[in-house]
Amino acid sequence: MPRDNLNELTAFLAVAREKSFTRAAAQLGVSQSALSHTVRALEERLGVRLLTRTTRSVAPTEAGERLVRSVGPRLDEIEAELAALSALREKPAGTIRITAGEHAAEAVLWPAIARLLPDYPDIKVEIIVDYGLTDIVAERYDAGVRLGEQVAHDMIAVRIGPDMRMAVVGSPAYFARQPKPRTPQELTTHNCINLRLPTYGGLYAWEFEKAGRELKVRVEGQLIFNTARLRMNAVLAGLGLAYLPEDQLRAHLADGRLVRVLADWCPPFPGYHLYYPSRRQATPAFSLLVDALRYRG
């Protein structure tokens, strides 16, 4: 492939993915006018418009979308292979981008990274906390973290944490005012602290299981958050019931600041897994991180 063709495709993909000439130019380190000229040259050579431009937005046309789907993954693979080759030196190096939920980032990723990085100063790790089911290929992450039951079948999954349990908790002050729920259905009469999910904009339904029977309960209450830390603060303040990972609550349950209910409806389930595309060529830096995260319990 002539070098100009490759440059044009790289420029087009950057604009199509960023949906902005300004951001794409900054990413590629070129001027907006030079980038616009390069993309226009590609359109003229192909004889088809690839981008729809307005004063406020840039979006791929149907032909542009087709080019993103067909050529984008191939160029990504080429970049990954070149990165793997350039990383073959004495010390592993490079930036690793990971998307994960707040609890996974704090409970699993952070301890492993804190142990690894001091010995490898040329490795950089970027963690983006996100509750959504992010498409790591489209968003150009190296890996993501999900619960084992949520990992897509076309991904390589590496277990990085033990089985988990959820817990419904409230403060002694709250239960001094309200009776303890005996079944998940009774939660609908309580003031519950909700979690907003970004993927669909809805509220998370609390999940329960007992003797093979599964229930999802949509609770209501005065408070809605999108972080675990704020939900923890609210339940400790006696403002309602919360549904949180058991490991985050042990100290508060032990000292009596929180009281657990419905424990028999919260069985263990598969814990966190690191996942990444099966076609990904692992760099030495990425392989080191995977090994540091691998669960050996």
Side-chain angles (χ1 to χ4, degrees):
M1 177 187 293
R3 188 174 185 83
D4 287 345
N5 293 359
L6 183 59
N7 290 339
E8 289 171 355
L9 287 171
T10 301
F12 162 71
L13 287 172
V15 177
R17 284 168 168 167
E18 293 294 333
K19 293 183 171 58
S20 164
F21 275 93
T22 301
R23 291 194 296 271
Q27 180 187 109
L28 296 173
V30 299
S31 68
Q32 292 184 48
S33 59
L35 183 59
S36 179
H37 176 77
T38 300
V39 172
R40 187 165 284 109
L42 176 63
E43 291 177 321
E44 290 175 357
R45 184 165 58 79
L46 296 177
V48 63
R49 183 172 292 279
L50 299 173
L51 295 171
T52 299
R53 307 165 177 83
T54 70
T55 56
R56 294 187 178 182
S57 66
V58 178
T61 63
E62 182 179 354
E65 288 284 3
R66 179 174 176 178
L67 194 59
V68 170
R69 290 194 302 270
S70 61
V71 175
R74 292 173 172 82
L75 287 184
D76 289 343
E77 289 180 23
I78 292 171
E79 287 184 6
E81 291 290 347
L82 292 175
L85 289 174
S86 65
L88 292 176
R89 49 184 172 173
E90 184 178 353
K91 289 187 177 181
T95 299
I96 302 169
R97 300 183 70 235
I98 304 175
T99 177
E102 181 185 15
H103 178 248
E106 292 184 353
V108 180
L109 292 181
W110 171 244
I113 289 168
R115 292 191 301 268
L116 177 70
L117 291 190
D119 294 329
Y120 298 96
D122 293 326
I123 295 178
K124 297 179 181 180
V125 179
E126 179 181 354
I127 298 175
I128 303 299
V129 172
D130 185 1
Y131 281 104
L133 298 178
T134 304
D135 183 336
I136 62 171
V137 176
E139 298 298 327
R140 308 194 78 178
Y141 286 102
D142 295 290
V145 177
R146 288 185 190 169
L147 296 171
E149 57 198 12
Q150 295 177 330
V151 176
H153 296 302
D154 60 345
M155 295 283 173
I156 293 176
V158 178
R159 184 175 179 131
I160 60 174
D163 282 354
M164 292 176 55
R165 287 185 74 191
M166 299 299 291
V168 180
V169 293
S171 69
Y174 179 85
F175 286 124
R177 304 188 304 269
Q178 298 289 341
K180 295 178 181 178
R182 294 167 296 177
T183 66
Q185 292 91 335
E186 291 182 10
L187 290 170
T188 57
T189 66
H190 282 264
N191 196 359
C192 295
I193 302 161
N194 261 306
L195 168 66
R196 174 75 68 184
L197 294 175
T199 307
Y200 302 108
L203 299 180
Y204 174 69
W206 295 9
E207 299 177 77
F208 300 95
E209 182 180 346
K210 184 177 181 181
R213 180 188 178 194
E214 297 182 4
L215 286 177
K216 288 188 177 182
V217 180
R218 298 199 174 276
V219 298
E220 295 185 1
Q222 293 177 283
L223 291 169
I224 301 172
F225 298 112
N226 68 345
T227 72
R229 195 176 303 279
L230 289 173
R231 284 181 288 144
M232 179 73 79
N233 292 342
V235 71
L236 287 169
L239 298 178
L241 301 183
Y243 183 78
L244 292 161
E246 181 185 63
D247 64 286
Q248 289 185 314
L249 303 165
R250 289 194 182 105
H252 299 310
L253 292 171
D255 65 17
R257 295 186 67 193
L258 291 176
V259 177
R260 185 173 189 171
V261 295
L262 302 175
D264 56 333
W265 280 92
C266 298
F269 55 89
Y272 291 121
H273 286 63
L274 186 80
Y275 68 99
Y276 52 94
S278 57
R279 68 173 182 271
R280 188 188 193 284
Q281 177 65 43
T283 65
F286 186 77
S287 296
L288 270 173
L289 181 61
V290 171
D291 189 60
L293 287 167
R294 192 182 305 275
Y295 178 65
R296 295 175 172 86

